[in-house]
Amino acid sequence: MTDMPDKPWVMRTYAGHSSAAESNALYRLNLAKGQTGLSVAFDLPTQTGYDPDHELSRGEVGKVGVPIPHLGAMRQLFHDIPLDEMNTSMTINATAMWLLAMYQVVAEEQGVDAAALSGTTQNDIIKEYLSRGTYVFGPAPSLRLTTDMIAYTVKQIPKWNPLNICSYHLQEAGATPTQELAYALTTAIAVLDAVRDSGQVPEDEFEHVVGRISFFVNAGVRFVEETCKMRAFGRLWDEITRERYGVQDPKMRRFRYGVQVNSLGLTEAQPENNVQRIVLEMLGVTLSKDARARAVQLPAWNEALGLPRPWDQQWSLRLQQVLAFESDLLEYDDIFEGSVVIEAKVAELIEGAKAEIDRVQAMGGAVAAVESGYMKQAMVTSHSERRARIEAGEMKVVGVNSYTETEPSPLTADLDTAIMTADPEAEANAIADVKAWREQRDQAAVDEALNRLQREAKSDTNLMEATLEAVRAGATVGEWAGALREVFGEYRAPTGVSGSGSVAEAGAELSAVREKVRSTGEELGTRLRLLVGKPGLDGHSNGAEQIAVRARDAGFEVIYQGIRLTPAQIVAAAVAEDVHCIGLSILSGSHMELVPDVQKAMVESGIGDVPLIVGGIIPESDARKMEAAGVAAVFTPKDFGMTAIMDRIVDEIRKANDLS
């Protein structure tokens, strides 16, 4: 037992929606309830460098976070929140430089020196190519922006964490604990090598760069394994920083991490079970003092249903507070010290991670492994194997494939009120706001700042100062990213589907569907073709990838072009490929805008009779509306049997073609 209890970790809630004003009110409410840090969720247009009035932003504004396209919105977001007293985490990657610059300018307007700011920008672009898909530029220019930010903050904002290596989304995309360790650490190596090689930080100051790198990890329900994973992370990081970068100060080698526990395992069926899942996942990153998270944010029990309400977020915050303040956890030294079982598992994870790190480094490092598609393929395969185990009943998920009998739940008796609905006027208001912002600014100053940005992007000048000038001049996120797109170009990452492993021997059910696909194709005189499309800016492609893999295994010819497509592009591909069915995957809440747009384009292109199916986190009332409007089928997370989904797709194709 320790003489004095440890201080608890920073307690956050990942939040932001609709508008800067509404998000500001939510932040101040959460802080009043005992939250000790802010974690800002930005909407997809802000994350991918588009203004609210861009074509690709349709349906996405204010849905999964708050729209912050310009300095005025950033001012509103932190109104009456003193930034010199706040530790702010911003989940932002491709446009991280832009958001940090706006945060700095707002702080200066509050009279706060940049050197006093503390917080984190995620800024891990490599995992965006592998999981969330909110990248803008290719790996090389993206790494240049990251390098420039790190070099700037080490000198100008020394308490800031400019890079938060995010293995969280790797696990969400199917990574095993070994892959999560290996791919996160190879990402850190790629970034640190880039900063070192840029020459922007003197050699004798480089350990300060290493010391400001933090991590953001995931914790699944196998909490013993997750505890061991975190101990393995700490030991591997200490070894890499000491041996590869020569860091002598133990404080600079410390593995510093925050955590959001697993959302992948949250279920739509019997969602009340998610509460105990979240608690067990929290224990995996808090029980071991020597590997305890420095910041924790928990999802809400109903995130598989839709957007959590303030009360749901409060429940998750209270889970942390009960553990920290009612239990005796913080009164003891590391309770796993000397455990033979824990040490054996840690050693096993370290051995596996080192082998995978060596494999990636032999390919040329993390960037090369992204560009070749290796890491993406490995995770798609792991995810496919996990799904197959659930479908076969080998991996039990309570309430989904086992113990499915249930009493009616008072929590979900009225599903339409069990989640929060984003402000339906958020998009229109944001469009009006950004147009008004453009009208009141000095356009000549904006043009001059963006021209400077482009000139310096073509050189090796650090781009942070040019970005700050653009912020102060009144440029928008879409203009900043657009200027850099003209210099750096755009990029489409490998999907990982074509080279992923197969679950072709999945048993009688899949064999029966294969035969049905084959025979239906024979009746139509051609192989059945399925287009899997992701309209809008939603980059969470895990579901789309798994559907594409299973459809291929079921005998379909699959057309999947990846993320971030307009409805017109999806329909044009469907016409060109003469597909028999279109499947849309939408997890960002934009289905009620984008699905009708796709339907309209299908009719205009003469393929209105092709069945359209939709999958995603879709409230039941919305599903009913879409089916009434002609959508053939709607699938949500409760429909975990993908082979059954394939069977339904064939049925819809047969119905559309008048086959008995």
Side-chain angles (χ1 to χ4, degrees), residues 17-29:
H17 69 94
S18 299
S19 70
E22 290 176 84
S23 298
N24 172 264
L26 178 62
Y27 294 162
R28 288 189 283 115
L29 181 65

Side-chain angles (χ1 to χ4, degrees), residues 305-318:
L305 305 176
L307 189 66
R309 301 158 298 186
W311 184 85
D312 307 312
Q313 293 186 328
Q314 175 184 298
W315 191 355
S316 290
L317 177 62
R318 296 292 185 251

Side-chain angles (χ1 to χ4, degrees), residues 581-622:
C581 182
I582 297 173
L584 302 180
S585 171
I586 305 174
L587 287 90
S588 62
S590 58
H591 47 272
M592 294 306 290
E593 292 86 6
L594 295 179
V595 171
D597 287 353
V598 171
Q599 288 178 297
K600 180 182 177 183
M602 289 173 67
V603 171
E604 292 173 349
S605 299
I607 60 168
D609 57 343
V610 171
L612 176 69
I613 62 171
V614 181
I617 299 176
I618 298 170
E620 186 177 336
S621 58
D622 287 353

Side-chain angles (χ1 to χ4, degrees), residues 253-272:
R253 298 199 306 266
R254 185 181 301 151
F255 183 78
R256 299 179 307 117
Y257 79 98
V259 63
Q260 156 102 13
V261 306
N262 192 288
S263 293
L264 177 65
L266 301 183
T267 64
E268 181 182 9
Q270 298 181 26
E272 62 275 10

Side-chain angles (χ1 to χ4, degrees), residues 42-54 56-69 92 95 136 427 477-478 481 485 537:
F42 297 100
D43 73 352
L44 289 173
T46 303
Q47 292 186 53
T48 52
Y50 293 105
D51 288 335
D53 55 352
H54 191 279
L56 276 169
S57 299
R58 175 164 163 71
E60 309 283 16
V61 178
K63 285 286 173 63
V64 301
V66 57
I68 304 293
I92 197 72
T95 57
V136 176
E427 184 165 319
V477 66
R485 279 184 173 99
L537 296 175

